[in-house]
């Protein structure tokens, strides 16, 4: 998830671009860059790291006479975060530039074809193929070249291009956001509204498959595939700047909860084929023989990532047939580890900089273990020190309490399960097709239902936000989700909450249950459904308050529980991801009602880089 800003108008462009990038930096902060027209030539300036580095590089140039330009702040997906891979990217002649947000799935084949045609590449990014594709088709009309180029692209994109034709920008989108800002004699394009909100509140939103030509004297929107002109009405934004930065959501955490369908889709995109019944993870960089020689798996993580690891243990043991251990990284690093070359160690870290996880990775590597990490940050220390990394592509997560990073980790671990199962012959092609279809179908299902789920959760929160204690229960696949639900409530609302394997309730926690104790029970249809139902009845018998999450239409649960939140029925493997979302929303709504700082809860940090 990167940030794009473009401008055509009467203002000096460099300050406009830098101001816009500052408002978009939450979308990415691995590198930043701008391109602008001056004296008929394109000037490009880029810098690794946060925007302040680019600002320093441009010191003394803010007042340069230029009125057309593009800017970009990067969240790396292909290529490590450095100046070489920073946007904008240029063609061979430095006569046009491109900025891009998204993932070009077929970039490798496009790159090889373009190289064979004589194009020279200067970066490791998927984006650079766009610059060379547009160059290939450019004969004087930039919009025509962009339209032809995007027909060859598979994946997602919000792209903007500029050439030496003064005062013209061309942009297009597919499955990545792009919005136009309409001013008096000036026009903006950006990934999000806050980039230009200080200049105008009049906007137009591009839809998938559309492109726009932006000139000083107006804009023209077309269908990229057909050239058919599209008429749109401007909308007026009433948000303030802080709300706009969060896309209209009150908090970053809520925005990130709602971004989960897209984050899951981004993690899956380009990595599976239903028809072939295969998962493709070339980034693992281990041979089939090495993977077939593995005799056990060690999953190492902290906090929310540890809960993801606990679920992956069920996946790997059931579908791959490999003995799997799960360790808290802070304990793993001090154990007498009996691991070697036949062990696969999987460190899981959103940031890739978690100190305990890094220490565990290094110890396992010293002992000869193969390392495949699950990480959200390209070029992070964990990814650099692993034999291979499966990036989650969740985009920046600003809220301290992890939401979309968690469900993206679950998705990546599910893909790893399918991949290992196919390589080792444990999963048939037919079964793999079904498993892949399940994960592909989940994002649109969640997208369609998240608002209804949220509305139901809000009503529950109003009744329970003053409680002092909560108990969360789940069995089998749902046990790690019970732990994660309890952690979310603790993290942001400061209510004491515990997650338990439901079968363990009678071994101690049942003593806590009375008429004041809310118990959240996760009860999707599964082989252990009847067992969970028995545990719910045990709570009811002791006058406990039971909140159940169950399949839509499950009257059996609804007749027993105090409250039931119904969710769409999905496969047993997908239920943990789906059921995570209402637990996140419940924690969020309770925290808001209690007046807590949702995005920055007390005593916590986003990334724990010290022991």
């Amino acid at each position: 998830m990167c940030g794009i800003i473009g401008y055509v108008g009467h203002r000096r462009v460099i300050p406009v671009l830098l101001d816009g990038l500052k408002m978009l930096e939450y979308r990415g902060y691995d590198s930043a860059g701008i391109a602008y027209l001056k004296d008929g030539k394109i000037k490009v300036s880029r810098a690794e790291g946060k925007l302040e580095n680019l600002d320093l590089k441009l010191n003394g140039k803010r007042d340069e006479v230029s009125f057309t330009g593009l800017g970009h702040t990067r969240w790396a997906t292909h290529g490590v975060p450095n100046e070489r891979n920073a946007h904008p990217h240029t063609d061979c002649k430095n006569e046009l530039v491109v900025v891009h947000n998204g993932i070009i799935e077929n970039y490798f084949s496009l790159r090889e074809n373009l190289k064979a045609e004589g194009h020279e590449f200067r970066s490791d990014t998927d984006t650079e193929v766009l610059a060379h594709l547009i160059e290939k088709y450019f004969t004087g009309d930039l919009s025509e070249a962009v339209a032809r180029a995007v027909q060859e692209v598979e994946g997602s994109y919000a792209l903007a291009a500029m050439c030496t034709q003064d005062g013209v920008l061309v942009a297009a989108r597919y499955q990545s956001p792009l919005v136009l800002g309409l001013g008096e004699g000036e026009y903006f394009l950006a990934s999000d509204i806050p980039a230009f909100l200080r200049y105008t509140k009049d906007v137009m939103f591009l839809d998938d498959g559309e492109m726009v030509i932006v000139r000083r004297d107006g804009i023209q929107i077309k269908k990229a595939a057909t050239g058919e002109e599209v008429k749109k009405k401007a909308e007026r934004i009433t948000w303030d700047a802080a709300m706009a930065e969060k896309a209209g959501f009150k908090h970053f955490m809520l925005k990130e909860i709602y971004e989960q369908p897209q984050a899951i889709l981004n993690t899956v995109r380009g990595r599976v084929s239903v028809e072939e019944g295969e998962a493709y993870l070339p980034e693992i960089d281990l041979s089939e023989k090495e993977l077939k020689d593995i005799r056990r798996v060690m999953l190492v993580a902290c906090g929310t990532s540890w809960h993801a690891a606990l679920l992956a243990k069920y996946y790997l043991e059931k579908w791959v047939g490999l003995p799997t251990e799960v360790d808290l990284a802070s304990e793993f690093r001090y154990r007498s580890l009996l691991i070697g070359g036949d062990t696969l160690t999987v460190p899981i870290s959103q940031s890739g900089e978690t100190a305990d996880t890094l220490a565990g990775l290094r110890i396992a590597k010293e002992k000869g273990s193969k390392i495949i990490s699950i990480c959200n940050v390209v070029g992070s220390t964990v990814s650099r020190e692993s034999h291979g990394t499966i990036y989650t592509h969740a985009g920046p997560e600003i809220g301290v309490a992890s939401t979309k990073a968690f469900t993206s980790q679950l998705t990546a671990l599910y893909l790893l399960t399918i991949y290992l199962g196919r390589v080792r012959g444990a999963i048939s092609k037919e079964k793999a097709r079904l498993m892949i279809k399940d994960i592909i179908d989940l994002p649109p299902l969640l997208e369609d239902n998240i608002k209804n789920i949220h509305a139901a959760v809000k009503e529950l929160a109003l009744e329970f936000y003053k409680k002092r204690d909560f108990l969360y229960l789940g069995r089998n696949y749902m046990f790690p989700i019970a732990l994660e639900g309890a952690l979310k409530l603790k993290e942001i609302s400061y209510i004491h909450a515990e997650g338990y394997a439901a079968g363990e309730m009678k071994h101690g926690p049942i003593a806590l249950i009375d008429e004041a104790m809310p118990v959240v029970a996760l009860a999707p249809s599964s082989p252990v459904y009847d067992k969970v139902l028995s545990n719910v009845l045990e709570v009811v018998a002791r006058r406990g308050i039971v909140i159940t999450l169950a399949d839509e239409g499950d009257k059996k649960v609804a007749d027993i529980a105090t409250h039931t939140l119904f969710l769409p029925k999905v496969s047993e493997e997908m239920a943990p991801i789906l059921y995570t979302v209402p637990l996140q929303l419940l924690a969020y709504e309770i925290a808001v009602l209690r007046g807590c700082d949702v995005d920055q809860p007390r005593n916590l940090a986003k990334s724990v880089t010290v022991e």
Side-chain angles (χ1 to χ4, degrees):
M1 187 168 74
C2 305
I4 290 171
I5 175 71
Y7 178 76
V8 173
H10 52 78
R11 303 176 195 268
R12 301 282 172 101
V13 75
I14 294 177
V16 173
L17 297 178
L18 289 175
D19 289 349
L21 291 178
K22 184 176 181 181
M23 298 304 295
L24 293 173
E25 197 171 16
Y26 73 90
R27 294 182 62 87
Y29 32 76
D30 294 328
S31 61
I34 65 168
Y36 56 96
L37 285 173
K38 182 174 170 60
D39 301 327
K41 294 182 179 179
I42 294 175
K43 304 288 185 180
V44 177
S45 187
R46 307 183 299 183
E48 180 181 348
K50 293 194 174 184
L51 183 62
E52 60 192 33
N53 296 336
L54 177 65
D55 204 356
L56 286 171
K57 203 168 185 179
L58 288 164
N59 188 32
K61 296 183 178 180
R62 278 179 168 261
D63 291 331
E64 285 202 16
V65 179
S66 174
F67 307 101
T68 306
L70 295 170
H72 187 276
T73 182
R74 182 175 185 237
W75 178 263
T77 57
H78 293 73
V80 298
N82 56 26
E83 185 173 329
R84 179 172 179 264
N85 290 325
H87 298 216
H89 290 288
T90 63
D91 68 333
C92 296
K93 301 174 184 177
N94 295 319
E95 292 180 353
L96 65 86
V97 292
V98 173
V99 292
H100 165 237
N101 169 38
I103 299 172
I104 306 302
E105 294 174 14
N106 61 335
Y107 86 98
F108 184 78
S109 60
L110 289 173
R111 182 187 179 102
E112 292 305 299
N113 292 340
L114 287 162
K115 285 169 72 173
E117 293 170 8
H119 292 263
E120 296 181 5
F121 285 76
R122 306 184 186 100
S123 77
D124 305 312
T125 69
D126 56 334
T127 296
E128 194 181 354
V129 300
L130 293 170
H132 293 285
L133 268 180
I134 295 169
E135 177 187 20
K136 175 181 176 178
Y137 293 118
F138 183 64
T139 57
D141 186 334
L142 183 61
S143 64
E144 181 182 339
V146 170
R148 293 186 68 182
V150 297
Q151 301 313 307
E152 294 194 29
V153 168
E154 297 173 11
S156 61
Y157 55 82
L159 70 90
M162 178 177 73
C163 67
T164 51
Q165 294 175 343
D166 190 25
V168 179
L169 300 178
V170 178
R173 71 152 280 178
Y174 182 74
Q175 294 187 350
S176 289
L178 201 57
V179 60
L180 302 171
L182 316 175
E184 291 291 332
E186 59 183 351
Y187 296 91
F188 307 79
L189 58 88
S191 299
D192 269 351
I193 291 165
F196 53 72
L197 192 60
R198 64 177 292 185
Y199 303 106
T200 181
K201 291 189 175 184
D202 295 321
V203 304
M204 286 183 183
F205 296 94
L206 284 190
D207 293 316
D208 281 350
E210 293 179 347
M211 61 182 292
V212 61
I213 304 162
V214 184
R215 299 185 178 90
R216 287 194 180 95
D217 58 356
I219 61 172
Q220 184 181 18
I221 301 173
K222 298 180 177 181
K223 296 281 188 182
T226 65
E228 178 188 354
E229 192 163 346
V230 177
K231 297 295 184 182
K232 287 182 179 286
K233 289 185 177 180
E235 300 178 37
R236 189 158 186 83
I237 297 300
T238 57
W239 307 333
D240 61 23
M243 285 292 282
E245 189 175 351
K246 301 178 181 74
F249 291 97
K250 189 175 181 180
H251 297 95
F252 278 112
M253 181 181 176
L254 185 59
K255 175 177 178 283
E256 288 155 6
I257 290 172
Y258 271 75
E259 285 175 344
Q260 286 176 113
Q262 187 63 50
I264 294 167
L265 183 62
N266 286 346
T267 301
V268 173
R269 180 180 278 124
R271 288 171 163 167
V272 294
S273 167
V274 175
E275 183 179 341
E276 297 295 328
E278 298 289 353
Y280 303 107
L281 298 174
E283 58 267 52
I284 283 179
D285 203 26
L286 293 175
S287 69
E288 286 196 8
K289 183 182 183 304
E290 288 174 305
L291 294 173
K292 287 177 179 177
D293 287 343
I294 291 166
R295 293 294 170 263
R296 66 176 178 143
V297 179
M298 306 288 289
L299 302 168
V300 183
C302 301
T304 285
S305 296
W306 181 64
H307 297 155
L310 287 171
L311 179 60
K313 173 183 170 72
Y314 290 98
Y315 286 162
L316 290 165
E317 291 189 339
K318 179 176 179 179
W319 295 112
V320 187
L322 280 171
T324 302
E325 296 181 41
V326 181
D327 262 289
L328 288 162
S330 55
E331 295 296 318
F332 180 82
R333 64 187 295 189
Y334 294 114
R335 282 177 50 198
S336 297
L337 296 170
L338 303 175
I339 60 178
D342 64 350
T343 304
L344 173 64
T345 301
V346 182
I348 307 169
S349 170
Q350 188 281 139
S351 67
E353 305 295 343
T354 310
D356 287 321
T357 306
L358 265 172
L361 181 161
R362 289 165 179 161
I363 294 166
K365 197 173 182 181
E366 285 173 8
K367 291 179 175 289
S369 176
K370 304 294 188 295
I371 312 292
I372 298 174
S373 58
I374 307 291
C375 185
N376 193 36
V377 180
V378 174
S380 62
T381 308
V382 161
S383 66
R384 292 198 307 271
E385 298 191 15
S386 301
H387 294 114
T389 301
I390 303 172
Y391 290 110
T392 53
H393 299 319
E397 189 175 66
I398 308 303
V400 167
S402 183
T403 53
K404 65 177 180 174
F406 175 64
T407 48
S408 296
Q409 286 171 350
L410 296 182
T411 303
L413 289 161
Y414 183 75
L415 295 181
L416 176 61
T417 299
I418 298 172
Y419 181 76
L420 290 177
R422 291 294 294 133
V423 168
R424 295 170 62 88
I427 298 176
S428 69
K429 182 173 286 190
E430 290 70 26
K431 179 59 186 175
R433 284 173 178 156
L434 293 173
M435 295 176 75
I436 291 166
K437 188 175 186 306
D438 282 344
I439 192 65
I440 289 174
D441 289 346
L442 185 64
L445 181 70
L446 182 53
E447 184 81 52
D448 289 344
N449 285 275
I450 193 167
K451 288 184 179 179
N452 290 336
I453 293 169
H454 192 181
V457 166
K458 279 185 177 180
E459 293 184 18
L460 287 175
L462 284 168
E463 185 167 343
F464 293 106
Y465 76 96
K466 293 182 180 179
K467 296 292 183 181
R468 295 181 58 185
D469 305 278
F470 271 75
L471 186 63
Y472 288 70
L473 301 176
R475 294 185 87 130
N476 200 28
Y477 286 170
M478 304 308 293
F479 168 47
I481 307 308
L483 294 174
E484 175 63 13
L487 177 62
K488 281 293 154 284
L489 192 66
K490 281 185 281 194
E491 281 182 309
I492 64 171
S493 76
Y494 319 138
I495 293 174
H496 172 251
E498 298 295 336
Y500 269 90
E504 289 297 295
M505 185 180 63
K506 62 179 69 69
H507 296 285
I510 199 167
L512 298 171
I513 294 172
D514 60 20
E515 62 275 4
M517 169 70 83
V519 177
V520 179
L522 309 179
S525 58
S526 74
V528 295
Y529 171 81
D530 289 334
K531 301 291 185 183
V532 175
L533 216 59
S534 295
N535 299 135
V536 170
L537 287 167
E538 290 169 349
V539 174
V540 171
R542 286 152 184 84
R543 300 193 190 89
I545 305 165
V546 182
I547 303 167
T548 56
L549 278 65
D551 290 348
E552 208 156 17
D554 187 342
K555 293 182 179 179
K556 193 183 294 187
V557 165
D559 289 343
I560 298 169
T562 316
H563 301 276
T564 302
L565 180 62
F566 291 115
L567 297 168
K569 186 173 182 177
V570 294
S571 71
E572 187 183 4
E573 283 73 28
M574 292 298 98
I577 303 177
L578 178 65
Y579 277 55
T580 293
V581 177
L583 299 184
Q584 295 169 343
L585 289 167
L586 181 63
Y588 170 81
E589 290 297 340
I590 287 175
V592 169
L593 288 169
R594 291 169 67 90
C596 300
D597 187 339
V598 172
D599 286 334
Q600 295 181 325
R602 68 189 182 202
N603 304 332
L604 296 178
K606 186 63 184 170
S607 178
V608 182
T609 56
V610 295
E611 185 177 3

